[in-house]
Structure formats: structure tokens, C-alpha cells
Amino acid sequence: MPKTDARFRCSECGWQAAKWVGRCGECQQWGTVEEVGAQAAERVKAASIPASRIARPITEIDVSDAPRWATGIGEFDRVLGGGIVPGAAVLCSGEPGVGKSTLLLEVASRAAQSGRKVLYASAEESVAQVRLRAERTGALQDRLFLIAETDLAQIMGQVAAVEPDLLIVDSVQTVSNADNDAIAGGPSQVRDVANALTRLAKTTGIPVLLVGHVTKDGTIAGPRVLEHLVDVVTHFDGDRQTALRFVRATKNRFGPTDEIGCFEMTGEGIAEVPDPSGLFLSRQTAPDSGSCVTVALEGRRAIPVEIQALTVTSTAPNPRRVVNGVDSSRVAMLLAVLEKRVGLKLGERDVYVSTVGGMRLREPGVDLAIALAIVSSVRDVPLPARLVAVGELSLAGEIRPASASSKRVAEARRLGYEHVLDDSAVHLRGAVETITLLSDALREPVGVREF
């Protein structure tokens, strides 16, 4: 076979170069260009297939060979699509300190309590540190086995010795393959480790849960191939100033990706919140100006959220625009719509917009509630206590229907709200004129629809 010149290839995207460079010219990643030997492709000979492995029609495949088993944590099972599938590789990512290890330790404890054997491989903490956290959260179980190991071969050997029903590796970026000379956490190391653990899950049927680090911009650290290799990718996020945590699935080969799990961090660990409807509403009994309730969609779950606005006269040449929990650019657009289409003079006012409970809203279906909260604050007219506003605003001031409006209305009705202000008001100007006439009695105004 003739020998060809060595080339350099990016382990992230496959880009090739004639000489080594520190940064990939395609994906712009640093340290991913590696030297490879470019050899002529050999002809692949067809292998003999035994009769037991010949391809069968998809209608003859028996799915009972891979039944799901519940983790015992309902919110986590919701995100996974009903439970863990045997042989599945699940990647759980999130910012440092958000609670990834605490959640997976609770999953390991519930699985061990149900009679399954669990192997927890910690590559970041010692076994004593994991034991201390397990004591604090009440996760001590006889069938939960702990190792502190960073070498991939040692973890594979422990799997062969313990023969667990569930393997948890914390984390995939800190485990390394001794046959690879790259540093731990590098793209090639992460790829090798993830590939080996995923292949282990497929060949043995042992579910593997991997903890993944994220970069400063929130993406999963390491090569993109890591997300392609695993079956399920979940993201654990939440505001550090609050105890609330959300788990979302961004990829799921065995279930939907629009589900969300809600948890609360406590002194005893992490607790699931099956009904978070009352967490994002204020406790004031009497309505106050600058406050409006909307129903936001988080995955398939409709959650009522109270949006509060405060406007004050400013003496500064550039009034302040401070937001918390909502998109700042979206609020700036809504302020322009209010000033142009409604005639509100906001150029000399500081505007503060925030959500109750630290909820983060990014969908356009909450535009109307933000706008009405601002109008209520400017005119000092409180909205009725049993009113919700749902709708998207266009630049022309038109109120457009929000997605899954029937689900939002049903959730509002379940919580006792009596009236909804939505796209039936057609235009923002009509909605603003409506709320100026509203009182606690709510005299049948135009554009407010009763349930």
C-alpha cells in the first residue's frame, strides 16, 4: 500500500489541513486539530450473517424486550418519557452547583431501594465525600456501590466485577482513556470515553447515566459528537438565587423533548415539585397596580406566572430599563409599541419589569401581560385579581393568539381565574382602554372573555 503524506484533521467537525494549526478553520474550536495518517481506503469484504441476526421487518420486532423501569422520581421520569430504557445512555448537563450530582445520587438511591444494583463512579469526589452527601440526603442503600476512579479501564473492570443494573459516571469530562495521550476533558478523550460507555450500554443492556459539564455560554463541553452518541440529553438549570430547578430534555430517542421536570433544592437534598402552579404568584390578596398574571408554557406544562412592572419618573438623560426573568430586547420592543400605538409617554420614565419567583420567560405568548403590567403601573390602575392575559403582540399593536391557548385557559380555570384577556380584544389599544374601565367588580368589558 503506498504511503501518503500525513494530514491534520479536526476531531470536532472533520475539517482537514495540510499542516497543523491551533484553531480549526471550520468550527473555530481551539486544540481540536490532530495529526492523522491518510491511507487509501481498503475494500470492505461482506461478512457472513448468521440466521439469528438477519434483518427482520420492523412490524415483527418485539418491544417487550426493552421495558422501561421507573426511577421513583416522577418529574425525572416525565422528562425521560416514562422511565429509563435498558441499554440507554443518558447525558445530564448543567452549570456547576445546580444539583446534577444530587439528582443522580437520588436516582441511584431510589433504584437501589427497589432492589437494583447500582454502581456510582465518581471522578470528581472521593467516596467519603459522596458518602457524606448521601447521609445528608438520605440516600444510603446497601445495593449502592461507590468508586472514585478517573481511568476508563478501571471503571469498565468495576462494571464487570459488580455487574450493576445501573451505571452512573460523574462526570464524562473527568474520565480519561489511558490509551489516548490527550489530556482529560479534551475533545478526543471525551469522544473516546463517551463512545466506550455508550457501547457498554448497548452490548450489556445496562443503562448509563453520564454527568456532563457545560461551558460559560451554557453549551455542553467537549465535541458535539458527545450529544450524537448518547440516546437522551437533559439539561438541568435554575437560578442560584432561588431553590427552583428545571430539567429539560433537548434530545430523546425514546420520548418527547417538550417535557419539563420541576424540582426544589432543600437542605435534605432535592425534592420534586409535581404542581408548581403557585410558586410564581405573589401572596397579596388585594390587587396592586403594575401586576398582571399570565400562563406560560414550559414544555407541555402550563404554569401561571405573575409579571410585575414599576415605572417612575427619571431625571437622567437616559432612563433605565431593568428586567429580570424576561427578555430585555422583547421588553424594549413592547415599550416602543406602547409608545407608538397607545400613546404612552415612556421616554422620561425608568421601567423595571420582573417575574415573581425567579421564573424565566422567553416565549412571545406573555407579551400582552408584560404590556398590561406596564400600562397598569403608568396609569396606576390595578388589574382585577382573577384576570389572566395571554397573547403575542405585533409591531402594529395587534394581539395575536398564543400557542396552545386552550391549554393555558384550562390551567387558569383550574386555578380559579374567572376571566381571560387574549386575542379577542384584537388590538392592544382596545385592551388598554378596557383595563382603564376595570374594577374589582369587572363590569363585562369588551375584549374580556369569561370562562
Side-chain angles (χ1 to χ4, degrees):
M1 181 181 299
K3 183 177 179 181
T4 59
D5 296 335
R7 291 182 176 271
F8 297 86
R9 184 174 58 195
C10 175
S11 60
E12 177 79 11
C13 65
W15 177 77
Q16 293 187 1
K19 62 180 181 179
W20 183 86
V21 291
R23 188 176 188 179
C24 174
E26 180 69 24
C27 64
Q28 302 300 314
Q29 295 293 322
W30 290 95
T32 58
V33 179
E34 303 171 347
E35 185 178 3
V36 295
Q39 299 179 352
E42 297 181 355
R43 183 177 298 275
V44 178
K45 298 180 180 179
S48 59
I49 307 298
S52 60
R53 299 189 61 184
I54 295 179
R56 294 177 295 165
I58 191 172
T59 54
E60 298 180 5
I61 304 299
D62 187 10
V63 296
S64 62
D65 295 337
R68 297 178 184 267
W69 53 271
T71 63
I73 304 176
E75 292 297 296
F76 192 55
D77 290 337
R78 174 200 292 267
V79 176
L80 295 178
I84 297 178
V85 176
V90 181
L91 177 65
C92 183
S93 64
E95 295 183 356
V98 75
K100 304 182 298 295
S101 300
T102 304
L103 174 62
L104 293 187
L105 185 59
E106 183 66 22
V107 171
S109 174
R110 298 287 182 92
Q113 189 176 9
S114 65
R116 292 181 172 86
K117 189 182 295 185
V118 182
L119 177 61
Y120 191 104
S122 175
E124 299 180 352
E125 299 176 283
S126 66
V127 290
Q129 291 173 327
V130 178
R131 159 78 189 229
L132 287 175
R133 189 169 73 249
E135 287 182 352
R136 178 174 58 85
T137 60
L140 294 178
Q141 300 292 335
D142 292 335
R143 298 184 66 84
L144 174 56
F145 295 80
L146 295 179
I147 58 170
E149 187 58 63
T150 60
D151 184 66
L152 176 62
Q154 293 291 331
I155 294 177
M156 304 285 277
Q158 291 283 352
V159 172
V162 177
E163 297 182 352
D165 301 310
L166 174 64
L167 172 63
I168 298 176
V169 179
D170 185 6
S171 65
V172 67
Q173 279 86 6
T174 52
V175 177
S176 60
N177 182 8
D179 296 333
N180 191 327
D181 295 332
I183 62 173
S188 60
Q189 281 283 10
V190 173
R191 183 180 61 248
D192 287 353
V193 172
N195 188 35
L197 293 175
T198 302
R199 187 167 59 250
L200 172 69
K202 303 305 179 185
T203 56
T204 63
I206 301 174
V208 178
L209 304 184
L210 306 174
V211 175
H213 294 170
V214 296
T215 59
K216 61 182 180 181
D217 60 351
T219 59
I220 299 177
R224 193 73 176 184
V225 70
L226 172 62
E227 299 177 57
H228 291 289
L229 287 173
V230 298
D231 300 306
V232 183
V233 178
T234 63
H235 186 71
F236 204 11
D237 63 1
D239 191 350
R240 289 193 177 187
Q241 306 302 322
T242 63
L244 202 62
R245 302 288 187 269
F246 290 104
V247 177
R248 297 176 174 86
T250 58
K251 172 187 176 181
N252 193 348
R253 289 173 177 165
F254 313 119
T257 57
D258 56 355
E259 286 287 5
I260 182 173
C262 187
F263 297 87
E264 183 179 10
M265 292 295 294
T266 64
E268 291 76 27
I270 190 166
E272 54 182 324
V273 183
D275 187 8
S277 298
L279 298 178
F280 309 105
L281 300 175
S282 65
R283 299 182 179 179
Q284 293 184 356
T285 56
D288 199 0
S289 61
S291 177
C292 185
V293 175
T294 186
V295 180
L297 276 185
E298 286 290 340
R300 294 186 178 183
R301 177 174 284 173
I303 303 177
V305 182
E306 182 173 341
I307 298 176
Q308 296 179 343
L310 177 64
T311 60
V312 293
T313 303
S314 175
T315 58
N318 296 318
R320 301 189 65 185
R321 303 290 188 257
V322 181
V323 300
N324 182 28
V326 293
D327 188 6
S328 58
S329 60
R330 196 82 185 175
V331 173
M333 184 198 74
L334 294 177
L335 293 176
V337 172
L338 286 171
E339 188 158 354
K340 177 69 174 180
R341 305 301 178 185
V342 182
L344 249 61
K345 302 301 181 182
L346 299 170
E348 299 179 353
R349 288 177 175 267
D350 293 334
V351 179
Y352 305 86
V353 180
S354 178
T355 57
V356 173
M359 184 68 172
R360 297 179 182 178
L361 301 178
R362 295 292 183 267
E363 59 157 332
V366 300
D367 287 353
L368 182 57
I370 297 175
L372 293 184
I374 295 173
V375 173
S376 174
S377 176
V378 171
R379 299 190 174 180
D380 199 19
V381 177
L383 299 178
R386 311 313 299 171
L387 173 72
V388 294
V390 176
E392 177 185 354
L393 290 181
S394 69
L395 293 179
E398 177 190 5
I399 302 177
R400 301 177 58 84
S403 60
S405 58
S406 58
K407 181 180 295 186
R408 302 175 195 249
V409 170
E411 179 65 14
R413 181 189 300 142
R414 184 182 72 86
L415 295 174
Y417 287 91
E418 301 172 355
H419 307 271
V420 60
L421 185 60
D422 56 8
D423 60 294
S424 59
V426 180
H427 198 276
L428 178 60
R429 187 185 301 109
V432 171
E433 293 173 354
T434 296
I435 67 169
T436 59
L437 302 175
L438 294 180
S439 63
D440 292 339
L442 196 63
R443 309 189 294 266
E444 300 297 333
V446 178
V448 177
R449 180 161 53 91
E450 290 192 0
F451 291 141

